[in-house]
Amino acid sequence: MAELTGRHVPFVKATVVRARRPASARPGDTALVLADGRVEGFVGGACAEATVRVQALRTLRSGESLLLRISPEETADGTGEPVVEEGAVSVANPCLSGGELEIFLEPLRPVPRVVVVGESPIARALAAFGPVLGYEITEASGADGITPEDLAGSQAVVIASHGRGEEPVLVSAVRAGVPYIGLVASPRRGAAVLDALPLDAEERARIHTPAGLWIGARTPGEIAVSILAEVIQTVHGRSVEADAVPETAVDPVCGMTVSVADGTPYSDEGGDERRWFCCAGCRAAYEKDPARYAKADAS
């Protein structure tokens, strides 16, 4: 977990808080669910894990912790759909062997990391104001040796070095896919710098220069505020797009909702459409007679 946090990787910590026998998981068992759907750890068998994956990815998107109740019994409203309450969701899992689980899902999103390059008054103001917003500020006095790997996980890179070593950092930031890249420069000088970069038009368009929103800023502190405002606008706007609703599918054998993600069993048998399953057992049952479940879908 410390390694993921250090690398600014978002994940969900899942902890079993209650288990009713028969259940393979025990209170205190934990797992980490990554944004790509991978589950590291143990909070139950394959069917329980499939439900945890679906709900964990949803909490990672919302940023809100959740108590997940998993039971083989029908949900209270009798529809079979998850029952959502304030801070909790109850899910009927027909694959469970008879026990029940309550699992606390805690999304852990990394603190935004902003790399500030340069020693100018604007750079110092950015370093001073960033922590007030809860940002992790990494100061780099010079641009020498900054690679795309060094910038991995960063939400923003601001170059305020007044012409010193700007080009290599800009290229590294673009190659690293940093969401916000800002160059402190006049419109004329900024345009000249962009024209000289070995990037295509789409890549150049990702660089904000002059950096910052237009608020009439004049002093270094005011300019730093305008830049941080643009960082907020870009990073939060990107989060809405990047945190799209996780894709799900219905297991044709047991009817469970599962995530379309790495680690979820699937099969290409029985037609052009890929089918996703809660566990290998449901996949094996499907592959024995795909036509049977195709008829069930059609009915």
Side-chain angles (χ1 to χ4, degrees):
M1 192 162 71
E3 179 186 354
L4 294 175
T5 302
R7 289 166 42 208
H8 290 76
V9 175
F11 62 94
V12 175
K13 181 181 179 182
T15 304
V16 178
V17 295
R18 176 179 171 271
R20 191 188 76 179
R21 296 181 180 179
S24 55
R26 295 290 179 267
D29 286 346
T30 62
L32 304 182
V33 184
L34 305 185
D36 62 4
R38 284 178 294 158
V39 178
E40 299 180 358
F42 182 79
V43 286
C47 294
E49 182 180 288
T51 300
V52 169
R53 180 184 290 111
V54 169
Q55 298 300 329
L57 293 178
R58 289 173 177 168
T59 64
L60 191 60
R61 175 177 179 264
S62 70
E64 298 180 0
S65 297
L66 181 73
L67 180 63
L68 170 63
R69 301 187 183 99
I70 306 175
S71 171
E73 300 172 0
E74 190 64 76
T75 52
D77 63 1
T79 65
E81 295 297 319
V83 175
V84 180
E85 308 169 64
E86 185 175 356
V89 60
S90 299
V91 178
N93 186 327
C95 283
L96 283 176
S97 57
E100 292 183 351
L101 293 171
E102 291 188 3
I103 301 171
F104 184 66
L105 303 177
E106 180 185 8
L108 297 168
R109 291 176 162 184
V111 173
R113 178 186 179 221
V114 179
V115 177
V116 179
V117 180
E119 296 180 313
S120 66
I122 295 173
R124 291 195 293 271
L126 285 166
F129 295 160
V132 177
L133 300 175
Y135 291 169
E136 176 188 319
I137 302 296
T138 299
E139 299 179 71
S141 58
D144 294 342
I146 296 179
T147 66
E149 290 73 23
D150 297 327
L151 301 176
S154 300
Q155 292 297 303
V157 173
V158 181
I159 297 107
S161 57
H162 290 311
R164 298 178 178 87
E166 296 168 332
E167 293 84 352
V169 183
L170 290 169
V171 173
S172 291
V174 170
R175 300 286 189 242
V178 177
Y180 178 86
I181 306 167
L183 172 63
V184 177
S186 67
R188 183 174 179 178
R189 192 177 75 80
V193 172
L194 294 188
D195 287 341
L197 296 176
L199 302 173
D200 60 34
E202 184 177 350
E203 291 172 326
R204 291 192 187 100
R206 294 186 47 221
I207 300 171
H208 299 257
T209 187
L213 298 178
W214 174 249
I215 58 173
R218 294 183 179 276
T219 69
E222 291 172 345
I223 294 171
V225 168
S226 76
I227 294 171
L228 289 170
E230 192 170 42
V231 169
I232 293 169
Q233 182 185 66
T234 302
V235 171
H236 284 197
R238 179 180 182 273
S239 294
V240 172
E241 296 178 5
D243 296 344
V245 177
E247 186 178 357
T248 59
V250 175
D251 184 326
V253 176
C254 68
M256 278 180 53
T257 297
V258 299
S259 291
V260 176
D262 290 348
T264 302
Y266 66 86
S267 175
D268 293 321
E269 297 290 331
D272 297 332
E273 183 180 352
R274 175 167 289 181
R275 303 295 186 131
W276 300 82
F277 305 89
C278 72
C279 62
C282 281
R283 178 174 62 186
Y286 171 81
E287 290 182 340
K288 284 182 179 179
D289 190 2
R292 171 188 173 188
Y293 297 101
K295 291 177 182 177
D297 286 345
S299 63

Coordinates of all heavy atoms in Angstrom, one line a residue, residues 85-134:
E85 N -28.3 2.6 0.3 CA -28.6 3.4 1.4 C -27.5 4.5 1.6 O -26.5 4.4 0.9 CB -28.8 2.6 2.7 CG -29.7 1.4 2.6 CD -29.6 0.5 3.8 OE1 -29.9 0.9 4.9 OE2 -29.1 -0.7 3.6
E86 N -27.7 5.4 2.6 CA -26.7 6.4 2.8 C -25.4 5.7 3.4 O -25.5 5.1 4.5 CB -27.1 7.4 3.8 CG -26.1 8.5 4.0 CD -26.7 9.7 4.9 OE1 -27.8 9.6 5.2 OE2 -25.9 10.6 5.1
G87 N -24.3 5.6 2.6 CA -23.1 5.1 3.1 C -23.0 3.6 3.0 O -22.1 3.0 3.4
A88 N -24.0 2.9 2.4 CA -24.0 1.5 2.3 C -24.8 1.0 1.1 O -25.6 1.7 0.5 CB -24.6 0.8 3.5
V89 N -24.4 -0.2 0.6 CA -25.1 -0.9 -0.5 C -25.2 -2.3 -0.2 O -24.2 -3.0 0.3 CB -24.4 -0.6 -1.9 CG1 -23.0 -1.2 -1.9 CG2 -25.2 -1.2 -3.0
S90 N -26.4 -2.9 -0.4 CA -26.6 -4.4 -0.2 C -26.8 -5.0 -1.6 O -27.6 -4.6 -2.4 CB -27.8 -4.6 0.6 OG -27.7 -4.0 1.9
V91 N -26.0 -6.1 -1.8 CA -26.0 -6.8 -3.1 C -26.3 -8.3 -2.9 O -25.7 -8.9 -2.0 CB -24.6 -6.6 -3.8 CG1 -24.6 -7.4 -5.1 CG2 -24.3 -5.2 -4.0
A92 N -27.3 -8.8 -3.7 CA -27.5 -10.2 -3.7 C -26.6 -10.9 -4.6 O -26.4 -10.5 -5.7 CB -29.0 -10.4 -4.1
N93 N -25.9 -11.9 -4.0 CA -24.9 -12.6 -4.8 C -25.3 -14.1 -4.8 O -25.0 -14.8 -3.9 CB -23.5 -12.4 -4.1 CG -22.4 -13.0 -5.0 OD1 -22.6 -14.1 -5.6 ND2 -21.2 -12.5 -4.9
P94 N -25.9 -14.5 -5.9 CA -26.4 -15.9 -6.0 C -25.4 -17.0 -6.0 O -25.6 -18.1 -5.8 CB -27.2 -15.9 -7.3 CG -26.6 -14.9 -8.1 CD -26.2 -13.8 -7.2
C95 N -24.1 -16.6 -6.2 CA -23.0 -17.6 -6.2 C -22.5 -17.9 -4.9 O -21.7 -18.8 -4.7 CB -21.9 -17.1 -7.1 SG -22.3 -17.3 -8.9
L96 N -22.8 -17.1 -3.9 CA -22.2 -17.3 -2.5 C -22.7 -18.7 -2.0 O -23.8 -19.1 -2.3 CB -22.6 -16.2 -1.6 CG -21.8 -14.9 -1.7 CD1 -22.4 -13.9 -0.7 CD2 -20.3 -15.1 -1.4
S97 N -21.8 -19.3 -1.1 CA -22.1 -20.6 -0.6 C -23.1 -20.6 0.5 O -23.4 -21.7 1.1 CB -20.8 -21.3 -0.2 OG -20.1 -20.5 0.7
G98 N -23.6 -19.5 0.9 CA -24.5 -19.4 2.0 C -24.2 -18.4 3.1 O -25.1 -18.0 3.9
G99 N -23.0 -18.0 3.1 CA -22.6 -17.0 4.1 C -22.8 -15.6 3.7 O -23.2 -15.3 2.5
E100 N -22.6 -14.6 4.6 CA -22.7 -13.2 4.3 C -21.4 -12.5 4.6 O -20.7 -12.9 5.5 CB -23.9 -12.6 5.0 CG -25.2 -13.1 4.6 CD -26.4 -12.4 5.4 OE1 -26.1 -11.7 6.4 OE2 -27.5 -12.6 5.0
L101 N -21.2 -11.4 3.9 CA -20.0 -10.6 4.2 C -20.4 -9.1 4.3 O -21.3 -8.7 3.5 CB -19.0 -10.8 3.1 CG -18.3 -12.1 2.9 CD1 -17.5 -12.2 1.7 CD2 -17.4 -12.4 4.2
E102 N -19.7 -8.4 5.1 CA -19.8 -6.9 5.1 C -18.4 -6.4 5.0 O -17.5 -6.8 5.8 CB -20.4 -6.4 6.4 CG -21.9 -6.7 6.5 CD -22.6 -6.0 7.7 OE1 -21.9 -5.2 8.4 OE2 -23.8 -6.3 7.9
I103 N -18.2 -5.6 4.0 CA -16.8 -5.2 3.6 C -16.8 -3.7 3.5 O -17.6 -3.1 2.8 CB -16.4 -5.8 2.3 CG1 -16.4 -7.4 2.4 CG2 -15.0 -5.4 1.9 CD1 -16.2 -8.1 1.1
F104 N -15.9 -3.0 4.2 CA -15.7 -1.6 4.1 C -14.8 -1.2 3.0 O -13.6 -1.7 2.9 CB -15.2 -1.0 5.4 CG -15.1 0.5 5.5 CD1 -16.2 1.2 5.5 CD2 -13.9 1.1 5.5 CE1 -16.2 2.6 5.5 CE2 -13.8 2.5 5.5 CZ -14.9 3.2 5.5
L105 N -15.3 -0.4 2.1 CA -14.5 0.0 0.9 C -14.0 1.5 1.1 O -14.9 2.4 1.2 CB -15.3 -0.1 -0.4 CG -15.9 -1.5 -0.7 CD1 -16.8 -1.4 -1.9 CD2 -14.8 -2.5 -0.8
E106 N -12.8 1.7 1.1 CA -12.2 3.0 1.3 C -11.3 3.4 0.1 O -10.2 2.9 -0.1 CB -11.3 3.0 2.6 CG -10.7 4.3 2.9 CD -9.7 4.2 4.1 OE1 -9.4 3.1 4.6 OE2 -9.2 5.3 4.5
P107 N -11.9 4.4 -0.7 CA -11.1 4.8 -1.8 C -9.9 5.7 -1.4 O -10.1 6.6 -0.5 CB -12.1 5.6 -2.7 CG -13.1 6.1 -1.7 CD -13.2 5.0 -0.6
L108 N -8.7 5.5 -1.9 CA -7.6 6.3 -1.5 C -7.0 6.9 -2.8 O -6.3 6.2 -3.6 CB -6.5 5.4 -0.8 CG -7.0 4.8 0.5 CD1 -6.1 3.7 1.0 CD2 -7.1 5.9 1.5
R109 N -7.3 8.1 -3.0 CA -6.8 8.9 -4.1 C -5.5 9.6 -3.8 O -5.4 10.2 -2.7 CB -7.8 9.8 -4.6 CG -9.1 9.2 -5.2 CD -10.1 10.2 -5.6 NE -11.1 9.7 -6.5 CZ -12.0 10.4 -7.1 NH1 -12.1 11.7 -6.8 NH2 -12.9 9.9 -7.9
P110 N -4.5 9.6 -4.7 CA -3.3 10.3 -4.3 C -3.4 11.8 -4.2 O -4.3 12.4 -4.9 CB -2.4 9.9 -5.5 CG -3.3 9.6 -6.6 CD -4.5 9.0 -6.0
V111 N -2.6 12.4 -3.3 CA -2.6 13.9 -3.3 C -2.0 14.4 -4.6 O -1.0 13.8 -5.1 CB -1.7 14.3 -2.1 CG1 -1.5 15.8 -2.1 CG2 -2.3 13.9 -0.8
P112 N -2.6 15.4 -5.2 CA -2.1 15.9 -6.5 C -0.7 16.3 -6.4 O -0.3 17.1 -5.4 CB -3.1 17.0 -6.9 CG -4.3 16.7 -6.2 CD -3.9 16.0 -4.9
R113 N 0.2 15.9 -7.3 CA 1.6 16.3 -7.3 C 1.8 17.3 -8.3 O 1.5 17.1 -9.5 CB 2.5 15.1 -7.5 CG 4.0 15.4 -7.5 CD 4.8 14.2 -7.9 NE 6.2 14.4 -7.9 CZ 7.0 14.0 -8.9 NH1 6.5 13.2 -9.8 NH2 8.3 14.2 -8.9
V114 N 2.4 18.5 -8.0 CA 2.7 19.5 -8.9 C 4.2 19.8 -8.9 O 4.8 20.0 -7.8 CB 2.0 20.8 -8.5 CG1 2.4 22.0 -9.5 CG2 0.5 20.6 -8.5
V115 N 4.8 19.6 -10.1 CA 6.3 19.9 -10.2 C 6.5 21.3 -10.7 O 5.9 21.7 -11.7 CB 6.9 18.9 -11.2 CG1 8.4 19.2 -11.4 CG2 6.7 17.4 -10.7
V116 N 7.3 22.1 -9.9 CA 7.6 23.5 -10.2 C 9.0 23.6 -10.6 O 9.9 23.2 -9.8 CB 7.2 24.4 -9.1 CG1 7.6 25.8 -9.4 CG2 5.8 24.3 -8.7
V117 N 9.3 24.0 -11.8 CA 10.7 24.1 -12.3 C 11.1 25.5 -12.4 O 10.4 26.4 -13.0 CB 10.8 23.5 -13.7 CG1 12.3 23.6 -14.2 CG2 10.4 22.0 -13.7
G118 N 12.2 25.8 -11.7 CA 12.7 27.2 -11.7 C 12.9 27.8 -10.3 O 12.4 27.2 -9.3
E119 N 13.6 28.9 -10.2 CA 13.8 29.6 -9.0 C 13.3 31.0 -9.0 O 13.7 31.9 -8.2 CB 15.3 29.6 -8.6 CG 15.8 28.1 -8.4 CD 17.3 28.1 -8.1 OE1 18.1 28.8 -8.8 OE2 17.7 27.5 -7.1
S120 N 12.4 31.3 -9.9 CA 11.9 32.7 -10.0 C 11.0 33.0 -8.9 O 10.5 32.1 -8.2 CB 11.2 32.9 -11.4 OG 10.0 32.0 -11.4
P121 N 10.6 34.3 -8.7 CA 9.6 34.7 -7.7 C 8.3 33.9 -7.9 O 7.6 33.6 -6.9 CB 9.5 36.2 -7.8 CG 10.8 36.6 -8.4 CD 11.2 35.5 -9.3
I122 N 7.9 33.7 -9.1 CA 6.6 33.0 -9.4 C 6.7 31.6 -8.9 O 5.8 31.0 -8.3 CB 6.3 33.1 -10.9 CG1 6.0 34.5 -11.3 CG2 5.1 32.2 -11.2 CD1 5.8 34.7 -12.8
A123 N 7.9 30.9 -9.2 CA 8.1 29.6 -8.8 C 8.0 29.5 -7.2 O 7.4 28.5 -6.7 CB 9.4 29.1 -9.3
R124 N 8.6 30.4 -6.5 CA 8.6 30.4 -5.1 C 7.2 30.6 -4.6 O 6.8 30.0 -3.6 CB 9.5 31.5 -4.5 CG 11.0 31.2 -4.8 CD 11.9 32.0 -3.9 NE 11.9 33.5 -4.3 CZ 12.6 34.0 -5.2 NH1 13.6 33.3 -5.8 NH2 12.5 35.3 -5.5
A125 N 6.4 31.5 -5.2 CA 5.0 31.7 -4.8 C 4.2 30.4 -5.0 O 3.4 30.1 -4.2 CB 4.4 32.9 -5.6
L126 N 4.4 29.7 -6.1 CA 3.7 28.5 -6.4 C 4.0 27.4 -5.3 O 3.1 26.7 -4.8 CB 4.1 27.9 -7.7 CG 3.5 28.6 -9.0 CD1 4.3 28.1 -10.2 CD2 2.0 28.3 -9.1
A127 N 5.3 27.4 -4.9 CA 5.7 26.4 -3.9 C 5.1 26.8 -2.5 O 4.8 25.9 -1.7 CB 7.2 26.4 -3.7
A128 N 4.9 28.1 -2.3 CA 4.3 28.5 -1.0 C 2.7 28.3 -1.0 O 2.2 27.9 0.0 CB 4.6 30.0 -0.8
F129 N 2.1 28.5 -2.1 CA 0.6 28.4 -2.1 C 0.1 27.0 -2.3 O -1.0 26.7 -1.9 CB 0.0 29.3 -3.2 CG 0.3 30.8 -3.0 CD1 0.2 31.7 -4.1 CD2 0.6 31.3 -1.7 CE1 0.4 33.1 -3.9 CE2 0.8 32.7 -1.6 CZ 0.7 33.5 -2.6
G130 N 0.8 26.2 -3.1 CA 0.4 24.8 -3.4 C -0.1 24.0 -2.2 O -1.1 23.4 -2.2
P131 N 0.7 23.9 -1.1 CA 0.3 23.1 0.0 C -1.0 23.6 0.7 O -1.7 22.8 1.3 CB 1.5 23.3 1.0 CG 2.7 23.6 0.1 CD 2.1 24.4 -1.0
V132 N -1.3 24.8 0.6 CA -2.6 25.3 1.1 C -3.8 24.7 0.4 O -4.8 24.4 1.0 CB -2.7 26.9 0.9 CG1 -4.0 27.4 1.5 CG2 -1.5 27.6 1.7
L133 N -3.6 24.3 -0.8 CA -4.6 23.6 -1.6 C -4.6 22.1 -1.4 O -5.4 21.3 -2.0 CB -4.5 23.9 -3.1 CG -4.6 25.4 -3.5 CD1 -4.3 25.6 -5.0 CD2 -6.0 25.9 -3.1
G134 N -3.6 21.6 -0.6 CA -3.5 20.2 -0.4 C -2.6 19.5 -1.4 O -2.6 18.3 -1.6

